[in-house]
Amino acid sequence: MRVVLFGPPGSGKGTQASLLKEKYGLVHIATGDILREAVSNKTEVGLKAKSYMDRGELVPDDVVIAIVKDKLQSIGEVGFILDGFPRTIAQAEALDKVLVELGKPLDAVVNLQVDEEELVRRLSGRRVCPSCGEPYHVDSKPPKIDEVCDKCGAALLHREDDKPEAIRNRLRVYREQTEPVLGYYASKSILKNIDAVGDIEQVASRIANAVGSDKF
Ligand code: AMP
């Protein structure tokens, strides 16, 4: 199974991708995670990407496309979930080109739909453990001790791009640059729209139904 998880920031792409990965043994390719790791390791890519990411802007296409290309070329025959890529028409076109070269067309693009008010609520309350990666939310999944990870005791992080001004910017960037990619996939008849409000398992089963769980 080769699938793109699409949707605005805060729509639950990362959460659903982790579930699909566990359930079906797919490789999870999350450009946001790869870029954050590059930033924390201060690699050349990380140094280039950091200021864009902190402001909630998109990292230039050539940087992100090179990352995904490398990854797709290295994973062999196993299926994959792309999470947070493509985010522009240029990225979608570049992805098509690589997948044609590899003879691995996409099976589905799953669009997770959540209204904007709920997105702002989800993103602004989000916290993450910088040490073990465990995600939290101040309302729906608070840690037992304020701002401390239940699993490893590290101080939780409020991502720079989950702060109000960057959130507004990310949603604007999504509407202007990323949403048009939906039209690109609709015209190829592989787009599945999913109501992504509800509990995590509920949304996961809507995805499996829409894609056809036998295909995973
Ligand atoms: P995410 O964790 O997917 O919300 O990504 C966090 C940030 O990484 C985004 O706000 C962008 O700055 C950058 N980023 C992630 N994926 C891409 C992409 N496909 N194209 C450009 N920038 C990206």
Side-chain angles (χ1 to χ4, degrees), residues 1-5 16-27 77-82 107-110 192 194 203-216:
M1 188 70 192
R2 296 177 290 268
V3 56
V4 169
L5 274 189
Q16 292 300 328
S18 298
L19 274 184
L20 290 173
K21 172 187 162 176
E22 290 298 313
K23 255 188 186 153
Y24 302 106
L26 305 172
V27 173
E77 288 312 303
V78 63
F80 59 79
I81 315 155
L82 278 167
D107 295 300
V109 175
V110 174
K192 313 278 179 195
I194 303 287
V203 175
S205 76
R206 286 180 203 143
I207 294 175
N209 286 339
V211 173
S213 41
D214 55 314
K215 294 224 187 76
F216 279 102

Side-chain angles (χ1 to χ4, degrees), residues 14 19 29 46 55 58 82 92 99 118 123 128 178 181 200 205:
L19 274 184
I29 305 173
R55 293 194 307 271
L58 294 184
L82 278 167
L99 293 178
E118 172 66 7
L123 290 169
V128 65
T178 304
V181 177
I200 292 172
S205 76

Side-chain angles (χ1 to χ4, degrees), residues 31-32 35-36 53 57 59 64 84-85 87 91 159 170:
T31 43
L35 288 167
R36 274 185 291 279
M53 294 175 75
E57 300 283 342
V59 173
V64 190
F85 183 95
R87 267 171 146 108
Q91 291 178 17
R159 270 169 50 179
R170 288 164 76 195

